[in-house]
Structures are given as C-alpha cells and as structure tokens.
Amino acid sequence: MNALLRQQTSLTLDLAMQALQAALATAKENQARISIAVVDASGQLIHMAHMDGAPLQSRDIALNKALTAVGFGVSTSAWQARLEKCSEAVRQGLPLQPKMALFGGGEPFRFADQVIGAIGISGASEQLDGQCALAAVERVLAVLAAG
Amino acid sequence: MNALLRQQTSLTLDLAMQALQAALATAKENQARISIAVVDASGQLIHMAHMDGAPLQSRDIALNKALTAVGFGVSTSAWQARLEKCSEAVRQGLPLQPKMALFGGGEPFRFADQVIGAIGISGASEQLDGQCALAAVERVLAVLAAG
Amino acid sequence: MNALLRQQTSLTLDLAMQALQAALATAKENQARISIAVVDASGQLIHMAHMDGAPLQSRDIALNKALTAVGFGVSTSAWQARLEKCSEAVRQGLPLQPKMALFGGGEPFRFADQVIGAIGISGASEQLDGQCALAAVERVLAVLAAG
Amino acid sequence: MNALLRQQTSLTLDLAMQALQAALATAKENQARISIAVVDASGQLIHMAHMDGAPLQSRDIALNKALTAVGFGVSTSAWQARLEKCSEAVRQGLPLQPKMALFGGGEPFRFADQVIGAIGISGASEQLDGQCALAAVERVLAVLAAG
C-alpha cells in the first residue's frame, strides 16, 4: 500500500451489536442498570444502549470510557497504575481533560495487534462495569476466532 | 478479511500536509486569506492552518466544509443542486444541522473508489475557496499516482 | 519588523468602556434595552453590558454581531447586499455558520486602515441596534482623533 | 502610539509552520505520536497537526496546553510548583476550569519580552511532550534571531 495512505481496521455494526448484547446480558444477570457505548477504531460512536433506570450521567461516562480505551489502546482500569508513574501535575490534570475517563469500565477491542474499536460501560460499580466490558471483549474475540 | 470487520483507507498526515500546502499556494497566488482544515476518512481533524488576517469565522466554516465533504463523499458545491430536489423543509432544515456547510469550498479526497479524507477552505469567495480545495485534490491525486 | 511576526493594533479596555458608554447612552435616549459586546482586534471579548430587562438572547446575538464585524471588517448591515451577490447556497448557508450574525447591529472600529476591534448590539430593532453601534464608532473616532 | 490603543506582536503562520515542523521532527526522532497545536498571541488557533496513530484526546489536550501557555506566559510545566503555593481549593479547582492544562507540554513563544504565541503538545510522555515543545521554541528563537 502507498506509504501516504494508512489502513484502519474497524469493527462493523454487526460485530458491535454482538458486543453490546454480551455486555447487556452480563448486566441483566447482575441486576445492574448500565449505559453502553461502542466506538469504532477512529473513535466515532456506532452503537449505544441505555438500560431502563440507568443514571442519566452514565451515557456520557460510558462514551468517555470507550473514547479513552480506543484513544490509548488499553483498558481504562490500567490508568490507576499508569498515573502512579506520572508527575503529580499529570496525575491531577490528565483526568480532567475532555473525552477522558481514567477508571474501570472501558475496554479496547483488539484484533491482530490493532485496536479495532472499544466499549465503555457505566452505571454499576466500577468492578461490574468492567465485568460487562470484558464480557463484550470476550464475545468479540470468540466471534472473530469463529469467523 | 473477516466480514465482521471493515477496512478504512485514510490519508496520512504526510499527505495531508502536501494537500494543505497546495491549497495555501493557490490562496497566496490569488492574494486570498483563508483557513484550511483537513480531516481523515473518519472525519477526525488531522491538519489545519489559518492564514494571517483570515476571518476568525473561517476556522469553523472550513472544518464544517471538510466534515460535510467527507460525510457525503461529494463536493460541498454539489449541494445547491441536490437541495433543489428536496422538500422545502429539507432545503431549509438540513443546512441548519451540526457539522454542515452546504456551499462550495469542501472537497473529498478519493482513491480507488474510497473517500480517504477531505479538505475544507473558507475565507475567500465561494469560487476561490473551491479553487483552493481543488488544488489540494489535484495534489493528492498526483502524489498518489506518483507513489 | 521581522517578516515572521505581525503587529495587531487593538483598542484598550479604556477605549472599549467609552465605546460602550456611547452605545448605552443612545439606548437610554431611545428607551431601548440592549446587550452590548465589545471585542478586541483578535475577536476576544473585552467588555460587555446587559441592560435591565433586555432579552436574554441578546447577549449571544450581540457577541455574534461583534465577532462578525471584527472577522470581516465591515458593518454587519453590509451583508444583505453582499449576500445578494453570492450563490443561493451561500446566501442560505453562511448565516447558519458559528459566530455569525449577518444583519445590522455590529460595527468594526477602524483606525489608520486597521480593524482595532468591534461592537455588537442586540435587543432593540435592527435600526436602533445599528444606531447604538454607530454611536460607539463615532465616540471611538472622536476620542482617538483627540488623543 | 495613542494610549487608548495597544500593540500585540504575534507569530505569523509562516513562523508557526516552522515551529510545528521542529516539534514534529523531535517526535519522529523519538518514535512518538503526538498532536501539535499552535496559537497566536491572542489565543486563536492558527496551526495544528495530528500524527497518525496519536491518541484522539491529544487534539484537545494540545490545544489546552497551548492556551494555558499563552494565557499565563509560562511553561505549563511550571504549574506544579505554582499550585503548591496556592490554597487546597485553588490547587484542586484551578485545573478544572476551561482552557486549562496545568502539566508539561505547553510552551509560550517569547520575543522582546512579549508572548507572541504558544505551542501545545500531547500524546507522548509529559517529558517528551515538553521536549517537542521546547524544540519548537528553540526553532522560533533561532529563526527570529536569524531574521
């Protein structure tokens, strides 16, 4: 491919819908009410769902988690350890920047060493949000392996 | 490729910089003062320049033109004829929506039948804005053909 | 001066306060309730006043008029004639772009062939808004001529 | 000059482009992927570039760093020590305000004791962001000294 172009591999809506279903199922099993945001590899929103009774703020938080996961290519739960290695100024200042949520509940989807999208979950505990996000990651990996 | 993934080809920053230079050169030849915005295939801003003395509004308008061009894959100058085929409600309402600028000065970059990005120009007349944008398109095509 | 630098001459707050006083006096003489926005040469707000009972929307409109006047260096009342020379697409689309108000009530302040700032007025009729803005322009010119 | 006017010296787009090139070269030497924002003396964005694969958040953070640097006229890395002298309330509250990024990666451009613009870098470590910004400052100083 021409060196002046770049290829970005991204999940399709079909795949995003399967990821969201997996997160939703995990939330229901745990009687949780969450918002779910799925972004493609470029950070554009392609799928979302807000469960009945989930906190209204969860929409924005879920999106910020998805954006953080896709932007940096790591779980948003990794940031606590990451920030500990940073200066006090970054530790305090980075979480305040736009499109940032530096706590658990956001997970990138990876395929063949590329970030192909991400999911963000908000509305339950940090741990349960993270569990729902990981259920989506597992589903994506399983579906892609089967495909 | 797995049917649950999609590939998006996008211009690189290197190519965007060459496109911007071509638009800038055309503006200078015509004593125009413009803002230039280049977005990638997903609509994310990757390069911009605001010439000394260009209207401050040109920043936003150039970006809106680039977003409109990349979103619909046609020149923003095509919209006057397009809107004439729409209902009065669309004709009046569509230009009011966010990230829209439905007049000349925005051009998509195409390669192998795909939209790989777009440029938006604002600050001069609609005709000259469009001329600067087309100079960028020509540069991109020439560079890619040579590559 | 080094060709890689540029000089921008701007009105001071002292001068902006005199401009605003002139606009305010004209509004009071006419029993009008207006918002007044003064921006410097770069388009940053440096002075504003909202008269008791003026429409709340007037704040934004006044600022947009000031930004339009400083961005293009002409009275916002000049745009009706200007737009008539444009394509239908520009005529409809340009007024919808951010930081735009293409009707009377915004006036640039000029000194020695440079735009040194602008004032925007909203809340009364277009004609009276424009009259208040012109009173501010006259005051600025008089004060600078005396200085 | 009339005491009711003030002069602001600002970098031109030509100079901003040279500054951006210097930051970009430093990032490439260090295999970093960054966003670069250059603002003029009044805080208006005049040039930006987003390297392929840089985090999407870097756009906003780079701009906030540039705005912080131009607003206060000091390196954004100076704020950690500055905040230590403030009350707990300021230490916590100031970084939350709009257009703020109080950690390294933003540098003002100074010439003849005036702030003539600023650059903000984001996407790499705080230290490397700062190094890219300082490369731009050095370039600006060298070019102005040569001019």
Side-chain angles (χ1 to χ4, degrees):
Chain A
M1 149 147 283
N2 195 305
L4 291 166
L5 299 177
R6 63 192 172 85
Q7 287 282 1
Q8 193 164 48
T9 304
S10 196
L11 82 174
T12 54
L13 175 58
D14 279 351
L15 186 49
M17 292 175 88
Q18 298 197 44
L20 187 142
Q21 286 292 351
L24 199 60
T26 303
K28 284 180 180 170
E29 282 163 25
N30 290 277
Q31 285 82 47
R33 297 167 171 186
I34 58 170
S35 253
I36 308 169
V38 182
V39 299
D40 69 11
S42 74
Q44 303 283 14
L45 184 68
I46 57 172
H47 200 32
M48 79 81 69
H50 184 82
M51 290 175 75
D52 307 329
L56 68 94
Q57 287 83 356
S58 300
R59 292 175 181 86
D60 291 329
I61 303 173
L63 180 56
N64 281 342
K65 286 179 182 175
L67 291 173
T68 303
V70 85
F72 297 92
V74 296
S75 169
T76 56
S77 66
W79 277 96
Q80 184 160 342
R82 282 185 154 213
L83 287 175
E84 277 165 20
K85 295 178 202 149
C86 296
S87 72
E88 172 61 27
V90 169
R91 205 150 50 235
Q92 190 188 354
L94 195 62
L96 303 171
Q97 293 298 313
K99 299 172 193 158
M100 286 284 195
L102 300 180
F103 49 102
E107 296 290 338
F109 300 126
R110 305 186 70 92
F111 182 72
D113 255 357
Q114 283 191 283
V115 176
I116 59 168
I119 192 164
I121 309 284
S122 175
S125 68
E126 182 184 20
Q127 196 205 333
L128 188 46
D129 286 346
Q131 202 176 319
C132 295
L134 286 172
V137 170
E138 276 171 42
R139 178 73 58 90
V140 164
L141 292 178
V143 167
L144 287 176
Chain B
M1 147 147 285
N2 196 303
L4 291 165
L5 300 177
R6 65 190 169 84
Q7 289 281 2
Q8 192 165 50
T9 304
S10 196
L11 84 173
T12 55
L13 175 58
D14 278 352
L15 187 50
M17 292 177 91
Q18 298 197 41
L20 188 142
Q21 287 291 352
L24 200 58
T26 303
K28 283 180 182 173
E29 282 162 26
N30 291 278
Q31 283 83 46
R33 296 165 170 189
I34 58 171
S35 254
I36 308 168
V38 183
V39 299
D40 69 12
S42 72
Q44 303 280 16
L45 184 68
I46 55 172
H47 201 32
M48 80 78 72
H50 184 83
M51 290 176 76
D52 308 330
L56 65 93
Q57 285 81 359
S58 301
R59 291 174 180 87
D60 291 326
I61 301 173
L63 180 56
N64 282 342
K65 286 180 183 176
L67 292 172
T68 303
V70 85
F72 297 92
V74 296
S75 169
T76 57
S77 67
W79 277 96
Q80 183 160 340
R82 284 183 154 216
L83 286 176
E84 277 165 19
K85 296 177 202 147
C86 299
S87 73
E88 172 62 25
V90 168
R91 206 151 50 233
Q92 190 183 353
L94 194 63
L96 291 162
Q97 296 301 313
K99 300 173 192 162
M100 286 283 193
L102 300 180
F103 48 101
E107 296 290 338
F109 300 126
R110 306 187 71 92
F111 183 72
D113 256 354
Q114 283 191 283
V115 176
I116 59 168
I119 193 164
I121 308 284
S122 175
S125 69
E126 183 183 23
Q127 195 206 333
L128 189 45
D129 287 345
Q131 199 177 321
C132 294
L134 286 173
V137 171
E138 276 171 40
R139 178 73 58 91
V140 164
L141 292 178
V143 167
L144 288 176
Chain C
M1 145 146 289
N2 195 306
L4 291 166
L5 299 177
R6 63 190 171 85
Q7 288 282 0
Q8 193 164 51
T9 304
S10 197
L11 84 174
T12 55
L13 176 58
D14 278 352
L15 186 49
M17 293 175 88
Q18 298 197 42
L20 188 142
Q21 287 292 351
L24 199 60
T26 303
K28 284 181 182 171
E29 282 163 26
N30 291 277
Q31 285 82 45
R33 298 165 169 190
I34 59 170
S35 253
I36 308 168
V38 182
V39 299
D40 70 11
S42 74
Q44 303 282 14
L45 184 67
I46 56 171
H47 199 34
M48 78 81 68
H50 185 82
M51 289 176 75
D52 307 332
L56 67 92
Q57 287 82 356
S58 301
R59 293 175 179 85
D60 291 329
I61 302 172
L63 180 56
N64 281 343
K65 286 180 183 176
L67 292 172
T68 303
V70 84
F72 297 91
V74 296
S75 170
T76 56
S77 66
W79 277 96
Q80 184 160 341
R82 282 185 154 214
L83 286 175
E84 276 165 21
K85 295 178 202 147
C86 297
S87 72
E88 172 61 27
V90 168
R91 206 149 51 232
Q92 189 186 357
L94 195 64
L96 302 170
Q97 294 298 313
K99 299 171 193 160
M100 286 284 194
L102 300 181
F103 49 101
E107 296 290 339
F109 300 127
R110 305 187 72 93
F111 183 72
D113 254 354
Q114 284 192 282
V115 176
I116 59 168
I119 192 164
I121 310 284
S122 175
S125 68
E126 182 184 19
Q127 196 206 333
L128 188 47
D129 287 346
Q131 200 176 321
C132 294
L134 286 172
V137 171
E138 275 172 41
R139 178 74 57 89
V140 165
L141 291 178
V143 168
L144 287 176
Chain D
M1 147 146 288
N2 195 305
L4 291 166
L5 299 177
R6 65 189 169 83
Q7 288 281 1
Q8 191 164 49
T9 304
S10 195
L11 85 173
T12 55
L13 175 59
D14 279 351
L15 187 50
M17 292 177 90
Q18 298 197 42
L20 188 143
Q21 287 291 353
L24 200 59
T26 303
K28 284 180 181 173
E29 282 163 26
N30 290 279
Q31 284 82 44
R33 296 166 170 190
I34 59 170
S35 256
I36 308 167
V38 183
V39 298
D40 70 11
S42 72
Q44 303 280 15
L45 184 67
I46 55 172
H47 202 29
M48 80 80 71
H50 184 82
M51 289 176 76
D52 307 330
L56 66 92
Q57 286 81 359
S58 300
R59 292 174 179 87
D60 290 327
I61 302 174
L63 179 57
N64 282 341
K65 286 180 182 175
L67 291 172
T68 303
V70 84
F72 297 93
V74 296
S75 170
T76 56
S77 66
W79 277 96
Q80 184 160 338
R82 285 182 155 214
L83 286 176
E84 278 165 19
K85 295 178 203 148
C86 298
S87 72
E88 172 61 25
V90 168
R91 206 150 51 232
Q92 191 184 350
L94 194 62
L96 292 161
Q97 295 301 312
K99 302 174 192 160
M100 286 283 193
L102 301 180
F103 48 102
E107 297 290 338
F109 299 127
R110 304 187 71 92
F111 183 72
D113 256 355
Q114 283 191 281
V115 176
I116 59 168
I119 192 164
I121 309 283
S122 175
S125 68
E126 184 183 21
Q127 195 204 334
L128 189 45
D129 287 346
Q131 200 177 320
C132 294
L134 286 172
V137 170
E138 276 171 41
R139 178 74 58 91
V140 164
L141 291 178
V143 167
L144 288 176

